[in-house]
Amino acid sequence: AQERVADGIAKQAFDTKKPVFILKEFSLQPTARVIIPYIASQQGGLNCLSCHNVAEGTVLGGIDIELDVKEYRDHALWVMVGLLALSIVAFALVFVNTARTIKNHVQQPLETLIDHAMTAYRQHQPVSPDQFHSREFSNVADEINLFNTEIIAHQDMLQKKNQELLALNDEIESTLRETIYTMGVIEEKRSHETANHTRRVSLFSQLLAQKAELTPREVELITAASPLHDIGKLGIPDDVLMKPGRFTEDERNVMMNHPAIGYAMLKHSQRDTLVAAGIIAYQHQEKWDGSGYPQGLAGENIHIFGRIVALADVFDALFSPRVYKEAWPLEKVVEWFGEQRGVHFDPRLVDIFIVDIDEFVAIYNQYPADKETEM
């Protein structure tokens, strides 16, 4: 032991007459320091007052002990590290066990339930609740079965209604096509056209549209709508329409009104077939070079429906006998169409027509101009 001058901490112990304990655990060299004040007293085995001429309770000095606690600090740290490691391992075990439990008792049964529910829905069979060990999943399976039963019942009802609507729509479309064809035949009869003119123009248009690679829906529309190409002639007076000889200039002007009349009759409809019929009625007298009527349209400004029906209508008129002319021979018809390529008719359509002329003639022979054919 050695004596030293009291520092501030020692004076604190002397002033308070109580021991002071200081631990410096966070330094590189941790220490523990204890200062115990030595107080004069006549009590006990050692009578301080007999040696010192001081009053009772006087602080005579103190014991200052400083210990190196690095070893103890390191030991405590290792204990803490060990506890932390054990905690991490315990947490990992809990996490793994929880994940495995969730997978075995929740995820896998849920996935199985979903798969079986989808299969049951597609095959219209119930999900078996007995395959699940959990009451909750068995209850869910029962709810799914109830839900599927209701959904399937509604779907069956909707499917039946859809089939009824499709059948009704088909009947409406069929009735519309039949009505359109009948109107075309009525116009044909009133105009004293050759027999089967309406049918042949429709079939010529269908064949030409297919070979021109129109969409199936466009082919369907032009086939159904083309019988009304001359429906505007119903608005032409009999003395002009049925005149056997050549028209006067005034009569020709009256006759040239029939496309506009036909369009006026059809333009208010929103049905696709009648919209197509209105286009055809209005544009089938237009010419590729712009010299046609009533609008003077040219080139691709003329709707493809109008261009196709124009060619089909003229071919039938030339190849059929009329009250005012004999039927043209096929060679003359082909030669004339070649001359009108890019003048009266779309050049591409003329090329298609001439290459496959035999197919158009076959349609004509099937529905000849001198014999009525039933619809």
Side-chain angles (χ1 to χ4, degrees):
Q2 60 182 0
E3 295 184 359
R4 67 171 66 174
V5 178
D7 58 11
I9 297 175
K11 289 180 178 181
Q12 178 184 349
F14 295 165
D15 292 340
T16 61
K17 298 180 182 181
K18 293 180 180 180
V20 175
F21 180 83
I22 299 174
L23 177 63
K24 297 180 179 180
E25 70 271 34
F26 297 113
S27 64
L28 292 176
Q29 294 294 327
T31 59
R33 182 182 177 188
V34 179
I35 301 173
I36 304 173
Y38 183 61
I39 303 172
S41 174
Q42 61 181 350
Q43 297 178 0
L46 182 62
N47 188 349
C48 298
L49 299 181
S50 63
C51 299
H52 299 278
N53 186 20
V54 293
E56 177 80 20
T58 301
V59 177
L60 301 175
I63 301 174
D64 189 347
I65 303 173
E66 188 170 359
L67 301 175
D68 184 354
V69 295
K70 181 176 183 299
E71 182 179 350
Y72 300 101
R73 194 272 306 271
D74 293 344
H75 179 73
L77 286 176
W78 281 112
V79 170
M80 292 178 63
V81 170
L83 291 175
L84 179 61
L86 289 175
S87 299
I88 292 174
V89 171
F91 178 78
L93 291 174
V94 171
F95 179 80
V96 171
N97 184 64
T98 302
R100 182 179 300 173
T101 301
I102 291 174
K103 181 177 180 180
N104 293 337
H105 297 281
V106 179
Q107 182 180 350
Q108 289 181 348
L110 182 60
E111 291 175 350
T112 301
L113 179 62
I114 293 173
D115 290 341
H116 288 197
M118 296 301 295
T119 301
Y121 176 74
R122 289 192 297 268
Q123 298 179 355
H124 290 196
Q125 295 178 350
V127 178
S128 174
D130 298 334
Q131 63 186 303
F132 300 104
H133 301 293
S134 168
R135 180 183 298 274
E136 288 78 6
F137 281 101
S138 296
N139 292 338
V140 173
D142 290 334
E143 292 295 330
I144 288 175
N145 289 333
L146 179 61
F147 179 76
N148 279 350
T149 300
E150 295 177 354
I151 290 296
I152 291 170
H154 281 89
Q155 286 183 335
D156 291 341
M157 181 184 67
L158 289 174
Q159 185 175 10
K160 182 178 179 181
K161 293 296 183 182
N162 285 336
Q163 290 173 347
E164 292 175 356
L165 288 173
L166 288 173
L168 179 60
N169 186 66
D170 289 342
E171 182 177 350
I172 292 173
E173 287 292 330
S174 178
T175 301
L176 178 60
R177 288 193 294 270
E178 184 175 339
T179 301
I180 289 173
Y181 181 80
T182 301
M183 291 296 294
V185 172
I186 291 171
E187 182 280 318
E188 173 185 302
K189 296 299 184 182
R190 181 171 181 269
S191 302
H192 298 291
E193 299 281 1
T194 55
N196 293 318
H197 169 71
T198 298
R199 178 180 291 276
R200 288 194 302 271
V201 170
S202 177
L203 294 176
F204 292 155
S205 299
Q206 180 186 44
L207 179 60
L208 192 53
Q210 290 171 340
K211 292 186 175 295
E213 298 182 346
L214 270 64
T215 66
R217 179 56 178 164
E218 288 173 330
V219 173
E220 181 182 356
L221 284 174
I222 196 171
T223 304
S226 57
L228 294 182
H229 65 282
D230 274 338
I231 192 66
K233 288 182 178 180
L234 293 177
I236 303 300
D238 289 350
D239 59 336
V240 175
L241 184 66
M242 300 178 185
K243 183 178 180 179
R246 291 183 175 276
F247 292 138
T248 65
E249 186 66 24
D250 289 340
E251 290 170 339
R252 185 175 302 279
N253 289 335
V254 171
M255 192 67 183
M256 288 173 63
N257 285 329
H258 81 272
I261 295 173
Y263 177 68
M265 295 168 65
L266 299 168
K267 68 180 182 180
H268 302 292
S269 175
Q270 299 299 314
R271 297 193 67 87
D272 290 349
T273 305
L274 292 180
V275 170
I279 292 171
I280 292 169
Y282 205 22
Q283 298 187 14
H284 74 286
Q285 293 293 348
E286 302 288 352
K287 296 183 179 181
W288 184 260
D289 65 357
S291 63
Y293 64 91
Q295 301 176 83
L297 301 177
E300 293 189 357
N301 288 327
I302 306 169
H303 196 284
I304 186 63
F305 289 177
R307 285 179 268 156
I308 288 175
V309 174
L311 192 152
D313 186 33
V314 172
F315 170 66
D316 192 71
L318 296 177
F319 202 54
S320 302
R322 296 290 174 89
V323 294
Y324 53 86
K325 74 169 187 65
E326 296 293 330
W328 285 19
L330 184 60
E331 295 78 8
K332 184 178 179 180
V333 171
V334 173
E335 179 183 358
W336 186 83
F337 270 97
E339 295 171 355
Q340 295 300 312
R341 181 183 183 277
V343 180
H344 190 150
F345 304 109
D346 181 340
R348 176 169 169 266
L349 295 180
V350 171
D351 293 342
I352 295 171
F353 171 72
I354 291 177
V355 168
D356 296 312
I357 187 69
D358 291 342
E359 295 185 45
F360 291 89
V361 173
I363 292 173
Y364 186 93
N365 292 334
Q366 185 178 2
Y367 302 100
D370 58 353
K371 182 181 179 181
E372 289 287 351
T373 304
E374 294 295 329
M375 290 180 57

